[in-house]
Amino acid sequence: QVQLVESGGGLVQAGGSLRLSCAASGRTFSSYVMGWFRQAPGKEREFVGGISWSGARTYYADSVLGRFTISRDNAKSTAYLQMNGLKPEDTAVYYCAGDLKYGSRDYYEYDFWGQGTQVTVSS
């Protein structure tokens, strides 16, 4: 089993940027598609984006397309979520997760999760 630890969250003003990291333990990181999700208070967990095993392909939710970029470094067993042009509605706890299949957008399809990191965007 792979364990994930997110970091990089914090408080930022609208229009600002943050980069989240997702560090994985274990030697099988490159075997998994990595996804990012977020959950705001009182709302369901929402898909943000995903990246293929090698990092060659990515896919995003419409709400973040053009503002957020996912990348990964398999040598460091780490995935990243670069968030630009942040909006107050991006405020949420952000989670990374792993899946064996590419293209999954539903949280229940992912096999393991990190503990989450809080992102707060002030207006």
Side-chain angles (χ1 to χ4, degrees), residues 64-78:
V64 306
L65 191 62
R67 299 189 297 125
F68 290 11
T69 302
I70 296 174
S71 61
R72 67 189 296 163
D73 185 340
N74 285 343
K76 296 182 178 180
S77 296
T78 302

Side-chain angles (χ1 to χ4, degrees), residues 30-63:
S30 60
S31 299
Y32 293 94
V33 169
M34 297 304 297
W36 286 93
F37 287 77
R38 65 187 181 186
Q39 189 166 19
K43 295 189 176 182
E44 292 190 352
R45 193 164 295 191
E46 175 190 21
F47 172 76
V48 173
I51 187 166
S52 65
W53 307 266
S54 68
R57 293 181 293 164
T58 55
Y59 57 113
Y60 299 94
D62 289 344
S63 58

Side-chain angles (χ1 to χ4, degrees), residues 3 6 18 25 27 30 34 47 53 55 58 65 68 71 74 76 79-80 83 88 90 96 101 107 111 120-121:
Q3 294 185 326
E6 299 96 334
L18 280 175
S25 64
R27 296 178 290 176
S30 60
M34 297 304 297
F47 172 76
W53 307 266
T58 55
L65 191 62
F68 290 11
S71 61
N74 285 343
K76 296 182 178 180
Y80 304 96
M83 305 184 293
D90 293 319
C96 62
K101 308 175 304 299
Y107 69 89
D111 299 318
T120 302
V121 185

Side-chain angles (χ1 to χ4, degrees), residues 94-116:
Y94 282 71
Y95 300 88
C96 62
D99 187 10
L100 291 173
K101 308 175 304 299
Y102 181 79
S104 301
R105 294 175 179 259
D106 295 314
Y107 69 89
Y108 52 79
E109 296 187 87
Y110 283 76
D111 299 318
F112 49 89
W113 294 79
Q115 84 289 349

Side-chain angles (χ1 to χ4, degrees), residues 11-17 85-88 120-123:
L11 174 64
V12 64
Q13 289 188 334
S17 298
L86 283 162
K87 306 174 181 179
T120 302
V121 185
S122 63
S123 58

